[in-house]
Amino acid sequence: MTQTTPPLGRFGAYGGRYVPEALVAALEELDEHRAKAMADPSFVGELTELQRSYTGRPSIITRVRRFGDEHCGGAQVVLKREDLNHTGSHKINNVLGQALLTKRMGKTRVIAETGAGQHGVATATAAALMGLDCTVYMGRVDTERQALNVARMRLLGAEVVPVDHGSRTLKDAVNEAFRDWVANVAHTHYVLGTVTGPYPFPEMVRDFHRVIGVEARAQMLDEYGRLPDAVLACVGGGSNAMGIFHRFIDDSGVRLIGLEGGGDGPDSGRHAARFTGQAIPGVLHGAYTYVLQDEEGQTIESHSVSAGLDYPSVGPEHAFLRDSGRAEYYPVTDTEAMTAFEALSRTEGILPAIESAHAAAGAMKIGRELGPDALLLVNLSGRGDKDVHTAAKWFGLLDEGEAQG
Amino acid sequence: MSTQQDVSGVSAALAAAKAEGRAALIGYLPVGYPDVDTSIEAMLTMVRNGVDIVEIGLPYTDPLMDGPVIQTAATGALASGVHVRDVFRAAEAVAGAGASCEVMTYWNPVLRYGVDAFARDLAAAGGSGLITPDLVPDEAADWITASETHGLDRVFLIAPSSTPERLVTTTAACRGFVYAASLMGVTGAREAVGSEAAQLVERARTVTETPICVGLGVSTEAQAAEVAGYADGVIVGSALVATLVTAADRNEGLATLAQKAASLADGVRG
Ligand SMILES: Cc1ncc(COP(=O)(O)O)c(C=O)c1O
């Protein structure tokens, strides 16, 4: 057997397509359709119009002066406000693109996995908007910590299926979504929620999120007359980070900094620090990338206060950016993230998603290192409505009785 | 070390069944469920009751091609402390009993063990090769090299959705046999095997001489007989694993497993 064509969709050594044969035809079909769609002015026009009139793009940037002065060593901190998008996070950028593709492919049903619930909410929203059937898989643990989003999805007409296998978090929801897809691929599109999975997902999802960095770069030049010294974003699978990083990759003076879920700390064994902990490259969910795994190749369960960062693997393009040194990745512990959550809320009146609070915590560290001359761009990937219960419990703000919930 | 020209144990078993004018019966069990010793005893029980080839499953944390029964067993095996190397012990035991085996494994445990080292140790244990549900030939350059070096079978899957082009390239990359997934879906018993399986085998026969075995959804003697009518081998997983999962204790499990295997063996023997 001769190997003639190079493996598809690689970022250096990372990426690829490690899937059951049953899915290969669908991945090829998807790749073909998205290539045609991205070159088709009517598709691009429709997506751009939805972004404007439905999502609310462009999202603004906000200078957070008191947060910078009081918590980031006086650095100038600017937030990219993906939290102002319809449905409350960056996830909608990708979902609208994939939902339009679903219709182009003539499929009538979408499925999704979700951790924090934001991707599930975005998918349920797009399905309602476009008249598609929708099923969302969510780990049982996550349905409990993100109960509000479960209700939102159901109100939007989606079926939410709690997953009771394994760690009962995002990883297991992804397994279940793949199982559904293998069985129903003829009429179902899997709206994967982040920049991982088999080719073409990592590239396609990044391309739908690129708009974040494209807008932010122009806005920084426009409002501050220069590029930021660093761009910071939290990294679960890595979609909001790839979205804001990508347009800056060629700007060699701009540091790209990803913040991972550090849980109880990288040495505790309870974390989601794929680039810091025991992770080494391997295969999970269709891609060759960094995976938290034991010495026998079994996946290790991750831990993070943030459901959206609680995932043992990471998008392959991040693995490439990390190895090549273009991007840096640091863990942020649960406590550091919640400290940043409180700081941003109290100084600016902005409740961030707990995921995004990890990026804010990164700004607190980097800002103190770089001092007042630094200009930091932080991707506020989502708002904290869904996390009010978790945060209130964390800070002990619930009245007796409610605290058990 | 064997060479490429050697015929694997599995190929010999498929040829022997063919000489008897029937399809071979391939039985799947995960190593380590409910514990390693019992799982090996269960594999030997299948062999004594008419299973021609044992498919030894390597339990994995994220078995996304498997339905609830096999996932339950895999999770149980991991919880009871199964190790990757136990698969070699199982292969040795099956080979020692005069039967042949393939290892069914998701790719990451092999990658972590080292592709060449895994192939070397499997060949040394008497295993014939690997069935890889989440590794398609397009990504298998290292495995193709290692399987050449160690004279192992490479069993890739084809599915009802496989395009004509992929049927050609995937079957060409296979050695030992081709695994035809009878339906679009994951492992688990089904009420009927369905017409897609026969059509897929028919399509594949026009592009390859390699034996074609059909799996996914086969659970009864009648279904085994039906599939044996058009395939070179009949692969049964969940229905066998279920005997162990639902049993009250070890002895009851092995006894029901023996009955199930014997009845499926009657099926392929018409
Ligand atoms: C607000 C928010 N930010 C970030 C993430 C993490 O995903 P990613 O790393 O793909 O941006 C999530 C995931 O649910 C999220 O809801």
Side-chain angles (χ1 to χ4, degrees):
Chain A
M1 149 107 204
T2 49
Q3 190 93 8
T4 46
T5 45
L8 274 174
R10 293 276 172 173
F11 305 95
Y14 302 105
R17 191 183 260 173
Y18 296 83
V19 290
E21 168 65 22
L23 294 178
V24 173
L27 292 167
E28 287 179 352
E29 180 193 19
L30 176 63
D31 195 28
E32 215 181 291
H33 274 89
R34 66 115 193 182
K36 280 196 195 131
M38 295 306 243
D40 175 355
S42 79
F43 178 86
V44 175
E46 194 176 352
L47 182 56
T48 308
E49 178 51 24
L50 276 175
Q51 287 172 343
R52 188 190 69 80
S53 64
Y54 193 72
T55 310
R57 300 212 73 88
S59 67
I60 58 173
I61 57 173
T62 302
R63 168 89 188 266
V64 281
R65 226 174 266 276
R66 282 185 62 211
F67 178 68
D69 287 345
E70 293 175 26
H71 298 286
C72 307
Q76 303 177 62
V77 179
V78 177
L79 305 181
K80 177 64 173 163
R81 302 292 304 279
E82 293 298 298
D83 61 317
L84 298 181
N85 290 347
H86 179 52
T87 70
S89 82
H90 71 288
K91 297 284 179 190
I92 194 77
N93 303 324
N94 165 45
V95 167
L96 287 176
Q98 288 201 49
L100 285 180
L101 277 181
T102 304
K103 290 196 18 174
R104 269 173 91 99
M105 291 188 290
K107 296 188 173 185
T108 55
R109 175 174 177 258
V110 287
I111 55 174
E113 84 295 338
T114 196
Q118 287 307 107
H119 176 60
V121 166
T123 306
T125 300
L129 177 68
M130 298 187 197
L132 300 162
D133 291 331
C134 179
T135 302
V136 179
Y137 293 95
M138 192 166 185
R140 177 77 68 182
V141 170
D142 293 336
T143 61
E144 284 157 13
R145 59 180 159 175
Q146 303 288 352
L148 263 184
N149 270 342
V150 173
R152 277 169 90 190
M153 288 182 265
R154 289 186 173 141
L155 289 170
L156 290 161
E159 184 193 359
V160 180
V161 182
V163 177
D164 278 316
H165 300 298
S167 55
R168 298 159 195 227
T169 56
L170 182 53
K171 164 178 92 77
D172 307 284
V174 178
N175 289 340
E176 216 52 46
F178 269 110
R179 290 190 180 102
D180 181 319
W181 204 29
V182 173
N184 298 300
V185 66
H187 63 280
T188 298
H189 174 64
Y190 178 12
V191 183
L192 222 153
T194 188
V195 286
T196 187
Y199 175 82
F201 281 106
E203 201 172 297
M204 179 180 73
V205 175
R206 177 202 71 202
D207 289 347
F208 287 136
H209 280 303
R210 250 187 120 253
V211 63
I212 306 172
V214 169
E215 285 175 7
R217 190 176 183 281
Q219 288 165 326
M220 292 304 289
L221 289 174
D222 203 34
E223 295 184 29
Y224 297 89
R226 71 174 181 106
L227 294 177
D229 298 298
V231 178
L232 297 98
C234 67
V235 182
S239 67
N240 86 87
M242 270 326 300
I244 196 162
F245 285 177
H246 198 256
R247 182 65 182 84
F248 291 96
I249 285 177
D250 292 336
D251 300 316
S252 56
V254 179
R255 286 170 68 183
L256 305 177
I257 302 176
L259 291 314
E260 303 188 275
D264 293 346
D267 299 328
S268 67
R270 286 174 52 86
H271 60 79
R274 289 71 42 93
F275 289 136
T276 329
Q278 302 97 311
I280 63 157
V283 168
L284 183 64
H285 296 148
Y288 180 68
T289 182
Y290 280 72
V291 178
L292 287 178
Q293 54 180 306
D294 68 15
E295 60 290 340
E296 302 220 331
Q298 306 289 353
T299 312
I300 295 175
E301 291 175 12
S302 54
H303 288 277
S304 170
V305 64
S306 142
L309 305 185
D310 194 352
Y311 183 60
S313 173
V314 62
E317 194 166 7
H318 285 292
F320 172 71
L321 289 176
R322 188 251 189 198
D323 282 9
S324 68
R326 180 63 191 91
E328 311 154 50
Y329 297 85
Y330 304 106
V332 167
T333 65
D334 290 352
T335 305
E336 290 167 331
M338 295 313 292
T339 302
F341 179 99
E342 186 179 40
L344 193 62
S345 303
R346 294 288 174 88
T347 54
E348 303 290 344
I350 296 173
L351 259 63
I354 294 177
E355 289 77 15
S356 318
H358 286 68
M364 288 167 58
K365 272 194 212 174
I366 300 292
R368 287 181 195 135
E369 274 170 42
L370 301 183
D373 292 337
L375 179 60
L376 306 180
L377 172 65
V378 176
N379 199 23
L380 201 74
S381 57
R383 61 174 168 254
D385 301 21
K386 69 184 173 60
D387 294 320
V388 165
H389 194 77
T390 305
K393 270 208 293 194
W394 180 278
F395 294 111
L397 306 178
L398 295 175
D399 292 335
E400 296 277 310
E402 260 186 276
Q404 272 81 30
Chain B
M1 188 187 297
S2 49
T3 64
Q4 196 182 337
Q5 280 71 37
D6 284 351
V7 166
S8 74
V10 160
S11 299
L14 286 165
K18 189 171 187 168
E20 288 176 27
R22 66 174 177 91
L25 178 61
I26 303 172
Y28 168 96
L29 288 178
V31 70
Y33 185 80
D35 56 74
V36 175
D37 288 339
T38 308
S39 69
I40 292 175
E41 183 52 35
M43 290 173 201
L44 300 181
T45 301
M46 293 199 307
V47 171
R48 285 194 294 270
N49 285 278
V51 164
D52 300 291
I53 297 163
V54 178
E55 189 181 327
I56 304 172
L58 177 53
Y60 178 53
T61 39
D62 299 276
L64 55 83
M65 262 297 279
D66 286 302
V69 170
I70 293 181
Q71 184 171 25
T72 300
T75 308
L78 289 167
S80 74
V82 73
H83 291 286
V84 170
R85 61 179 181 275
D86 292 323
V87 103
F88 306 124
R89 221 179 107 197
E92 225 162 63
V94 170
S100 57
C101 61
E102 307 274 8
V103 168
M104 202 293 311
T105 179
Y106 291 87
W107 195 235
N108 200 50
V110 179
L111 208 51
R112 186 70 203 247
Y113 193 91
V115 179
D116 189 75
F118 195 100
R120 177 198 66 209
D121 291 352
L122 180 60
S128 291
L130 291 183
I131 302 169
T132 52
D134 65 345
L135 185 74
V136 290
D138 319 50
E139 301 287 3
D142 290 352
W143 165 228
I144 288 169
T145 305
S147 55
E148 292 297 329
T149 306
H150 300 284
L152 291 176
D153 289 345
R154 292 185 292 269
V155 180
F156 295 109
L157 276 68
I158 56 173
S161 61
S162 297
T163 58
E165 298 75 32
R166 288 194 66 81
L167 278 189
V168 172
T169 53
T170 303
T171 58
C174 288
R175 196 162 60 195
F177 65 90
V178 176
Y179 190 128
S182 70
L183 45 77
M184 298 296 287
V186 297
T187 59
R190 305 289 197 289
E191 272 172 24
V193 175
S195 58
E196 281 186 316
Q199 283 165 24
L200 177 60
V201 172
E202 198 176 314
R203 287 172 65 208
R205 291 249 191 251
T206 65
V207 299
T208 184
E209 305 272 293
T210 306
I212 300 168
C213 301
V214 170
L216 295 196
V218 185
S219 66
T220 65
E221 180 178 339
Q223 289 171 340
E226 180 196 333
V227 173
Y230 57 83
D232 300 298
V234 180
I235 306 168
V236 181
S238 297
L240 292 163
V241 178
T243 62
L244 301 178
V245 170
T246 55
D249 58 39
R250 181 180 194 267
N251 289 341
E252 186 194 311
L254 291 174
T256 11
L257 175 69
Q259 280 167 19
K260 188 77 206 175
S263 125
L264 292 163
D266 285 345
V268 298
R269 284 169 176 82

